[in-house]
Amino acid sequence: MKNTVEVPLAKKQPKELKIHSDVRIDNYYWLNDRENPEVIDYLNSENDYTKQMMSHTEDFQNALFEEMKGRIKEDDSTVPYKLNGYWYITKYEKGKDYPVYIRKKELLTAPEEILFDCNEMAKDFSYFNLGSIAISPDNILACFSTDTVSRRQYTIQIKNLVTGEVYPDKILNTTGSATWANDNKTLFYSMKDEVTLRSHKIFKHKLHSGTKNDELVFHEKDETYNTFVYKSKSRKYIIIGSSSTLTSEYRILNADTPDDAFKIFQKRLRELDYSIAHYKDHFYIIANSDGATNFKLLKVNETQTQKEFWEDVIPHRDHVLIEDIEIFKDYLVVNERENGLNKLRIMSWNGTEDYYLPFNSETYSTYIGNNPDFDSEVLRYGFNSLTSPSAVIDYNFYTKQSEIKKEQEVLGNDFNKNDYESKRIWATARDGVNVPISIVYKKGIQLNGENPLLLYAYGSYGSTTDPSFSTIRLSLLNRGFIYAIAHVRGGEYLGREWYENGKLLSKLNTFYDYIDCSKFLIEQKYTSNKHLYAYGGSAGGLLMGAIINMNPELYNGVLAAVPFVDVVTTMLDDTIPLTTGEYDEWGNPNQLEYYKYMKSYSPYDNVQEKEYPNMLVTTGLYDSQVQYWEPAKWVAKLRDLKKDSNKLLLHVNMDSGHGGASGRFESIKEVALEYAFLLDLEGIHC
């Protein structure tokens, strides 16, 4: 169809941004004001434009939505887990968007107690999220948190589970996380800075004391750190953690004596990153101490916790990353990663057993599941792959038997796992490094360069995108798309060094890896530049912005979700949430070296007068992680400078934040828009 729709053009209002004797002109800085009616009008005009440009796909979007929704079992529930005498279950009811949290005393056949019905709680809000639930040790009280704006500023309240009464006290502007001391009346929680949203204070709340009397027990004054609080699985300790990108520190307190002072476990040392778990009279520590780049496991007596007393349990290995541990009364479970693949290692405390659970695929994901019961005889873990639906599995330490407690049910008649193929291939980056790509497609495709291919990547913060199953993705695979994940540097797929080589002054490796994976997929005839589509969100949206500035000719279309694209301006503004804590990831642009490097790749600063691919950019007005004005400014600048007639669409969710719409199915409508955008570019409309 011909484009007769008026393209929204943001007015230019030049603002001079000067530092290090360098001047940048930002014509769209004025969009940084969600209270300005003119800004809201502009965002609405972008939404109207997107709606009109995609109007010919509306029926298709609705069909995609119903198709994706139709694969999901609506009347569903989680596998029950037991904690402190109760079985806990989360269930979904047909036709309802939100979960219902229930429990049963001692036996699964016991009557159910409804703890929280989120459908009732959400009915007066356009956005709703129940953040967390913490049950008191005597099982009578539940501390719970809610967010009705989508800026991840949670309100904590307390409910009496016996009477049903919700106490009047409301604790505002928290992270949503809280934990009970063992006296059933003392609660520890983390508070956010109202401007930056950095979690910076831990308070102690006494039941029925009023929030004005809450005691500040810890203040994290370093703006590059966040703080949090939790209880050890052994239930003996309340633990306060402080962490930055590179460094961590913990404080411990006996949960039986909540009015005592916290004791520092090991004071922070620059680039000493560690975490702790308690077992009997020892703490077990995952740490990168003494050059252990991929971390090692140590232990220390609970009475002398300083680093000089730490003893090796599992020494450092160059090619094995220790990611996590789970402690049980008789066994220790270690989550390791080798050559990109997850491994679950089972070790008995008495030293007689040490082995790995077997997994045979190269495109699978496994993880330690919900195991709150210290005395349990089984390990609950999750498993899925690009072709196999998610399964919750209980492995019995003593019988060595595994039981699938639940496998994700895919409704409808358009999925048979034997119809799909997945594998891992390796591209060679320009510096000679091999970069893995996980790939899935429907069997029978021909490698003739004509296949549409969606290439996803993230590549920051050491966050690893493991290959996992998606019922929603089937709507692409069943229409001939190949789906691939580029495990680029900046993630931790191949260990800690893989992350270190994709951050700070090595950040360009992330972008180069993605581009070189794209070229490899084209060279190997999986696709061509007429059929290759790029997809990334948040820091992965930064990746999208960088690669289209560098090599726009490789891609027919791009999906950029909540993209972090105005890197220099954001990292220079320490009032914006997350900024100061990001210095160890991106660098501090107040220092000239980092400023120049950051400016060299910042997508917004490098938009040029040239041709760009078709693009759909999404954001949320209340996003606290990547502010809406970054993608809005980026789109405005692209509109002004690009020299093509390709589509450039901005969709702003006016009710949500970083995670998109709330509710079980509302978010699928946004995916339906994205998929319709891709499929429309391929001429596929059914």
Side-chain angles (χ1 to χ4, degrees), residues 92-273:
Y92 291 89
E93 298 173 345
K94 188 162 183 151
K96 296 185 178 180
D97 255 337
Y98 294 93
V100 179
Y101 293 88
I102 66 171
R103 70 177 181 178
K104 298 182 178 186
K105 190 170 184 178
E106 290 298 344
L107 301 173
L108 284 170
T109 54
E112 71 177 35
E113 301 175 30
I114 294 179
L115 306 179
F116 299 96
D117 184 344
C118 293
N119 299 288
E120 283 297 310
M121 298 169 75
K123 63 184 180 182
D124 295 328
F125 303 101
S126 58
Y127 177 91
F128 178 83
N129 183 35
L130 183 67
S132 66
I133 302 169
I135 308 294
S136 60
D138 62 8
N139 292 312
I140 292 175
L141 302 172
C143 166
F144 67 100
S145 60
T146 56
D147 173 14
T148 58
V149 177
S150 188
R151 276 183 70 76
R152 303 186 184 184
Q153 291 172 283
Y154 289 87
T155 297
I156 286 177
Q157 294 175 267
I158 297 170
K159 180 179 181 178
N160 187 309
L161 299 176
V162 176
T163 66
E165 178 188 1
V166 177
Y167 296 151
D169 290 354
K170 291 186 176 183
I171 307 172
L172 307 179
N173 193 39
T174 77
T175 65
S177 177
T179 191
W180 292 94
N182 290 341
D183 62 359
N184 299 297
K185 64 180 182 181
T186 305
L187 193 69
F188 293 89
Y189 64 89
S190 46
M191 181 74 75
K192 288 190 169 187
D193 181 284
E194 290 190 4
V195 176
T196 66
L197 303 190
R198 180 176 69 90
S199 173
H200 67 146
K201 292 179 179 178
I202 305 296
F203 282 90
K204 179 169 62 178
H205 175 80
K206 295 285 188 180
L207 206 59
H208 305 308
S209 65
T211 57
K212 290 182 179 178
N213 296 317
D214 287 0
E215 179 186 343
L216 175 66
V217 295
F218 177 66
H219 182 190
E220 179 50 76
K221 296 180 180 179
D222 189 325
E223 293 181 344
T224 65
Y225 283 75
N226 291 294
T227 187
F228 49 93
V229 62
Y230 65 99
K231 185 187 280 187
S232 64
K233 185 176 176 178
S234 67
R235 306 184 200 173
K236 183 174 181 179
Y237 287 98
I238 303 292
I239 301 171
I240 292 175
S242 283
S243 66
S244 67
T245 304
L246 298 175
T247 309
S248 53
E249 178 182 74
Y250 290 86
R251 288 166 167 76
I252 58 175
L253 172 68
N254 192 306
D256 290 333
T257 55
D259 293 326
D260 286 355
F262 281 83
K263 183 187 84 168
I264 292 180
F265 186 91
Q266 161 60 44
K267 69 178 182 180
R268 67 191 66 180
L269 299 172
R270 175 71 177 169
E271 299 189 18
L272 172 61
D273 191 5

Side-chain angles (χ1 to χ4, degrees), residues 610-674:
K610 62 182 178 184
E611 293 187 357
Y612 284 93
N614 297 283
M615 296 178 62
L616 172 60
V617 182
T618 61
T619 187
L621 182 62
Y622 296 102
D623 196 330
S624 62
Q625 290 187 258
V626 178
Q627 307 294 327
Y628 74 88
W629 58 77
E630 291 199 40
K633 287 166 46 176
W634 184 45
V635 167
K637 190 171 183 179
L638 281 164
R639 281 205 201 291
D640 182 49
L641 294 179
K642 75 189 192 83
K643 299 298 182 184
D644 59 76
S645 57
N646 290 330
K647 290 180 180 178
L648 175 57
L649 306 180
L650 174 65
H651 173 67
V652 186
N653 189 320
M654 303 300 280
D655 296 318
S656 77
H658 200 65
S662 69
R664 196 177 180 201
F665 301 115
E666 280 302 305
S667 59
I668 300 178
K669 292 179 180 177
E670 297 181 355
V671 179
L673 171 65
E674 294 172 343

